[in-house]
Amino acid sequence: MRILLMISHPAQFHMFKNAIGLWQQHGHYVTTIIRPKDMLEQLCINAQMPYYKVRERKGKSGKIGMLLALIDKVFKVSRIVRREKPEILVGSDGTLAYVGRLHRIPSIGFTEDDYGIIQLYAKMFFPFFTKLMIPRVCDAGKWEYKKIGYAGYQKLTYLHPDYF
């Protein structure tokens, strides 16, 4: 399977690094896109993980600026999707929800926040993700039907005794 993974934060690098290794061991091809933030790019370099870099659009702030930045990121990620031809999109960046819908590719959004905390994000992106990977204890609001609940928390993917 061809998997496209988008990582937007150093914590997500740690969350997915073991999964990437397991996917590759099972013969899957993984394309990684990063939004360079803090030490994320250096973590990828240190791990010898190939990646595409999608920078945030600079310019106006406020709602218009945020909308333009989102549209710009959708176009940039779409270009990579056309090149890499993934069969599934995985990550927490809402851009994947729109790109998945646009290219008719299933997308799985990851979060560990309750709907009440991330209402704007949820309203903007949850309708477009195919599935939502969320701890069982978290509320997905009216998108509960898309939720794949699991017993645990994201940090356990890299702090679990088998890996840490």
Side-chain angles (χ1 to χ4, degrees):
M1 178 175 278
R2 298 180 68 83
I3 302 165
L4 185 138
L5 172 65
M6 190 161 180
I7 303 174
S8 300
H9 191 278
Q12 293 169 8
F13 168 85
H14 292 295
M15 183 174 95
F16 284 112
K17 68 182 177 187
N18 296 317
I20 292 168
L22 290 170
W23 290 332
Q24 290 172 334
Q25 284 175 16
H26 287 93
H28 302 295
Y29 179 79
V30 181
T31 299
T32 304
I33 299 175
I34 67 166
R35 189 184 87 207
K37 177 178 172 59
D38 302 330
M39 293 296 297
L40 178 55
E41 188 168 14
Q42 191 60 52
L43 289 168
C44 292
I45 291 167
N46 292 349
Q48 298 179 337
M49 176 190 298
Y51 59 90
Y52 287 95
K53 183 171 21 177
V54 175
R55 293 197 180 277
E56 295 291 322
R57 179 182 184 276
K58 301 290 184 203
K60 293 182 180 180
S61 58
K63 291 178 183 175
I64 299 289
M66 288 171 58
L67 177 62
L68 292 173
L70 176 61
I71 292 168
D72 181 61
K73 200 158 49 161
V74 166
F75 280 113
K76 289 175 180 175
V77 173
S78 285
R79 213 172 300 131
I80 297 166
V81 163
R82 282 192 300 277
R83 185 177 309 131
E84 296 292 333
K85 299 176 181 23
E87 298 168 80
I88 191 162
L89 309 177
V90 178
S92 63
D93 194 302
T95 306
L96 295 177
Y98 294 134
V99 171
R101 181 67 62 97
L102 185 67
H103 293 275
R104 295 188 176 114
I105 300 170
S107 59
I108 301 176
F110 280 73
T111 186
E112 63 178 351
D113 294 315
D114 278 315
Y115 166 75
I117 304 297
I118 56 165
Q119 285 185 28
L120 179 60
Y121 174 88
K123 289 175 183 175
M124 286 179 62
F125 302 116
F126 281 13
F128 301 96
F129 275 119
T130 308
K131 292 289 182 185
L132 302 167
M133 187 68 78
I134 303 174
R136 273 191 214 137
V137 297
C138 292
D139 174 30
K142 67 181 183 179
W143 298 280
E144 200 70 28
Y145 68 97
K146 291 185 175 196
K147 176 178 169 179
I148 300 171
Y150 59 92
Y153 300 96
Q154 288 180 359
K155 281 147 189 74
L156 286 177
T157 61
Y158 56 93
L159 293 177
H160 189 277
D162 288 352
Y163 298 107
F164 184 70

